[in-house]
Amino acid sequence: MYYPLTVRDFLDRAAHVYPDRVAVVDEPEQPGPSLGEPTYRELAALARAQAAKLDQLDVPVGGRVAVISQNSARLLTSFFGVSGWGRVLVPVNFRLTQPEIDYIVRHSGASVVYADASCADVLDTLDVKHKFVLGDDEDLFLRDTEPRDWAAPDESATASVNYTSGTTARPKGVQLTHRNLWLNSTVFGLHTTISDRDVYLHTLPMFHANGWGMPYGVTGVGGRHIVLRQIDGAEILRRVERHGVTLMCAAPAVLNAVLDAAADWEGEIPGRDRVRIVCAGAPPPTRTIERVMGELGWEFIQIYGLTETSPLVTVNRGREEWDDLEPTDRARRLGRAGVPALGVRVDVDVDGEVLTASNHNLDGYWDQPEETAKAQAGGWFHTGDGGYLDDKGYLVISDRKKDVIISGGENVSSIEVEDVITSHQAVREVAVIGIPDAKWGELVTALVVTDGSGVTAEELIAHCRTRLAGFKTPKRVDFVESLPRTATGKLQKFKLREPFWRE
């Protein structure tokens, strides 16, 4: 018997098995009203009410619904209220600038856009049929009305389109199917051993690769979601203590924020021997991993993946054979990207590019068939990352062939930043690279050739702030006499990166 896998399965199970259990603790301090602490019965009712509202707006199956929001219970609801009834969720990074959001909404063809109250002004310029502010719940929910059934649930249907920065200034819309998301979240949950005893703190943006699948997986096992809108190391520790948090996912910058806060924490660090923290983005230094395990007493798990892979590709979790190793040696082993997750195949081609094949891989890039064919050539997804498999079968990422910088867990297109910098009249040439940074993983750095007019680094950074989201704006500007190029004029960025990454 064939039964289609859809993301609604996770909420349906939670509402059936744990109806009276608190599902989510919404952020108490936010611009709009908090949803408080709805149970799984209430969360399921909210999802149905959202689907009923979309029925009222005549949004068809397959219609796109964009949500621009920081972490919130309403965004969590939308993972099910939109996709669970056959529509397509388009989660948008709230940190993006107005032109970037305009492009994503227009390119995706969204007919409905919800925006968090903190960024409601972005709605003003959007040419969209229906625009609403999250928190005005009459616009989000049609209560006491059952939504129309999804007549023919299809696990191959697109469930979400997630826009990611690439090697061009224009982001690409990654189409993830219900099957992609269902299997990714289930396999992720298996490797991180989630259960109904888990309390999950959303330190990872929910919009980022659909929260890596945790909004689905934690819901399916009846775990409790704790919403966190703003990253603050001390506040993370307070919520770990207050709510009994057991699990979180984070970029390296979050690890550093918590470690910094722990230095001033009075009393025992909360969550010792209880919290599991899953890290991805750019591998943190060995010393950082060692400090997480030693100073915090938390279990450190490393993963590798991309938005295009839903995102899970490899997992690196401590194993029994490492229990007696010295902390530094154990941390060094955990610094690798890891081994393929269950059902995932990983290979490295003759050029050193990491390839992967799995049920988690994207269906395609939205409305970009040529890019899709290129990325999936030969039946493998071409990650654009350089790496190798060591003698134990562990994947090690050695470089990023796409020139994408991963700073604070967010992808930054170097070409996009270069375009903005070169729009300044004093700039003749520029190369933007990522250099190693203990806090951000990679630091967005611009190497600039000027016209000699005396422009300062501060002036160029200020210029970028007017055109780029904060996480894309260079944190460092170095002035150079010239940039290395090939005989055909191609910029040799590997020569620029080499001095910074040599060690």
Side-chain angles (χ1 to χ4, degrees), residues 32-352:
S34 172
L35 280 181
E37 301 185 8
T39 64
Y40 272 114
R41 177 188 285 112
E42 292 166 336
L43 185 64
L46 290 172
R48 291 195 303 272
Q50 183 176 15
K53 183 65 179 183
L54 295 173
D55 289 342
Q56 187 185 60
L57 298 176
D58 292 325
V59 180
V61 168
R64 274 76 67 203
V65 177
V67 183
I68 309 161
S69 179
Q70 292 174 266
N71 287 348
S72 71
R74 290 178 179 84
L75 176 53
L76 179 65
T77 302
S78 298
F79 278 76
F80 305 101
V82 175
S83 301
W85 277 262
R87 282 103 178 184
V88 179
L89 179 67
V90 184
V92 181
N93 185 344
F94 66 91
R95 301 189 187 104
L96 297 177
T97 62
Q98 184 80 49
E100 293 169 314
I101 293 173
D102 287 345
Y103 173 79
I104 289 171
V105 171
R106 184 171 63 254
H107 185 261
S108 69
S111 60
V112 179
V113 179
Y114 298 105
D116 187 86
S118 65
C119 55
D121 57 334
V122 304
L123 298 173
D124 295 341
T125 63
L126 297 180
D127 183 18
V128 181
K129 188 174 182 180
H130 304 290
K131 300 182 287 187
F132 306 111
V133 177
L134 288 175
D136 295 340
D137 285 348
E138 289 186 5
D139 294 327
L140 181 60
F141 304 123
L142 184 62
R143 300 176 190 271
D144 302 319
T145 301
E146 283 300 308
R148 294 192 295 268
D149 285 336
W150 183 6
D154 181 6
E155 66 181 33
S156 297
T158 301
S160 71
V161 177
N162 301 70
Y163 280 80
T164 180
S165 298
T167 55
T168 64
R170 291 299 190 188
K172 290 179 287 200
V174 176
Q175 290 177 251
L176 298 176
T177 67
H178 285 264
R179 179 179 175 84
N180 292 152
L181 299 178
W182 203 103
L183 292 171
N184 174 80
S185 61
T186 303
V187 172
F188 206 134
L190 177 69
H191 284 291
T192 53
T193 54
I194 60 174
S195 75
D196 66 353
R197 289 169 171 77
D198 270 314
V199 179
Y200 180 74
L201 180 63
H202 284 272
T203 48
L204 178 74
M206 293 180 189
F207 66 75
H208 192 77
N210 298 313
W212 298 356
M214 284 297 176
Y216 306 114
V218 171
T219 296
V221 299
R224 180 176 297 189
H225 299 267
I226 309 298
V227 172
L228 180 68
R229 285 172 63 91
Q230 187 70 37
I231 293 300
D232 175 85
E235 184 58 28
I236 289 172
L237 290 173
R238 284 191 288 269
R239 297 203 187 189
V240 169
E241 183 176 57
R242 184 182 312 137
H243 298 288
V245 169
T246 61
L247 177 65
M248 65 184 84
C249 297
V254 177
L255 300 182
N256 286 291
V258 175
L259 288 168
D260 289 345
D264 298 320
W265 186 265
E266 295 184 4
E268 184 177 356
I269 299 297
R272 182 171 289 277
D273 299 324
R274 183 185 76 218
V275 169
R276 316 186 300 285
I277 187 163
V278 185
C279 182
T286 298
R287 176 58 183 152
T288 299
I289 299 173
E290 190 175 355
R291 289 181 65 199
V292 168
M293 297 187 296
E295 296 175 23
L296 302 179
W298 296 357
E299 181 184 0
F300 177 88
I301 303 171
Q302 176 109 244
I303 69 161
Y304 165 72
L306 307 92
T307 302
E308 289 92 337
T309 57
S310 298
L312 192 60
V313 175
T314 63
V315 181
N316 192 352
R317 188 173 186 181
R319 47 195 294 176
E320 183 181 1
E321 292 89 341
W322 302 349
D323 286 352
D324 295 329
L325 296 176
E326 291 297 317
T328 301
D329 194 13
R330 192 162 65 249
R332 188 176 296 114
R333 292 173 187 239
L334 286 167
R336 297 170 294 181
V339 291
L342 181 65
V344 176
R345 304 292 182 267
V346 173
D347 200 0
V348 178
D349 69 12
V350 293
D351 296 320

Side-chain angles (χ1 to χ4, degrees), residues 306 308-309 354-356 361-362 365 375-376 379-383:
L306 307 92
E308 289 92 337
T309 57
V354 178
L355 312 177
T356 181
N361 286 1
L362 79 165
Y365 291 113
Q376 297 179 334
W380 292 85
F381 175 70
H382 295 248
T383 67

